[in-house]
Amino acid sequence: RVCCPFGRFYLEKCMSSFIVEDKGGSFESTPSGMHLARCYRIIDLGTQKSEYMGVSKLLHKIMLGWEIHGVNDDGTPIKMKDGRPFAMFKNYTFSWAEKANLRADLQSWRGKPFTQEEMRRFDLKNVLGAWCMLNVIEKPGADNKMYVNVAGVSPVPAVIKNAGLPAAINTNEMFTLAEPDMVMFQSFSDNLKKKIMASPEWEKLQGKATPQQASKAPAFQDDEDIPF
């Protein structure tokens, strides 16, 4: 059975599905502000240990990645020194619960709540290639260093859509721990590899995945009723 819905069956039976991306290294920080952005990666991090208020939990995590298409006050594109677009990433617990951050951001992104029917069969792959406005802010982390974070996701205003959206830069990609593309995995940063390799899902893959394994994504439902 293909597990496409983002419901209870998916969470219980398909905990090893999704994509993994390079976030680390010496990286130029995306400027704070509200930026036009396009989702180009969904990243499966597997089950990770999370701590909050002194309580540890094992939670399945995913990461969404966006390329930034913002402009400076003078109208010049916001780009890295080498000309590439900035990228932003946000980790989510892979949960469809009412108060889950993933659900909250997706509803904010589309500008309206999901119906019961949409929640029963929503396919996360629909956000790949979808445009949004990304609110990027700078705030101190636990180590007191300053980091840029995604503070909010909202729909693209009609005036921007009507003016024409820019061309996509990055290829839409998905890496899943259910059927890992090992060629893609080798392109990840060392830190990201270590994070994924620490997951129990990765341990189950040992002896199965090989660098020669063909690139393959899980079968997803084509659902034109989903607004992304």
Side-chain angles (χ1 to χ4, degrees), residues 14-21 42-50 57-63 91-95 175-178 185 188 192-205:
C14 300
M15 290 296 285
S16 48
S17 290
F18 271 102
I19 148 170
V20 195
E21 147 72 46
I42 301 173
I43 303 173
D44 186 3
L45 300 176
T47 301
Q48 301 288 329
K49 183 178 180 180
S50 299
K57 289 185 178 182
L58 292 175
L59 300 169
H60 189 210
K61 297 286 185 176
I62 64 168
M63 181 188 289
N91 290 359
Y92 295 92
T93 297
F94 190 35
S95 169
F175 175 93
T176 76
L177 281 169
F185 179 80
F188 299 153
L192 185 54
K193 288 178 184 175
K194 288 177 183 177
K195 192 177 190 74
I196 298 164
M197 291 169 68
S199 70
E201 290 84 358
W202 178 268
E203 292 180 359
K204 291 179 181 178
L205 291 172

Side-chain angles (χ1 to χ4, degrees), residues 12 28 43 46 62 65 69 73 78-79 96 106 112 124 144 148 156 165 178-179 204 210:
E12 289 177 354
E28 298 173 56
I43 303 173
I62 64 168
H69 290 262
D73 292 338
I78 294 174
K79 292 184 178 181
W96 203 226
L106 289 176
K112 61 181 180 180
L124 188 59
N144 293 320
V148 290
V156 178
L165 295 170
E179 300 180 49
K204 291 179 181 178
T210 64

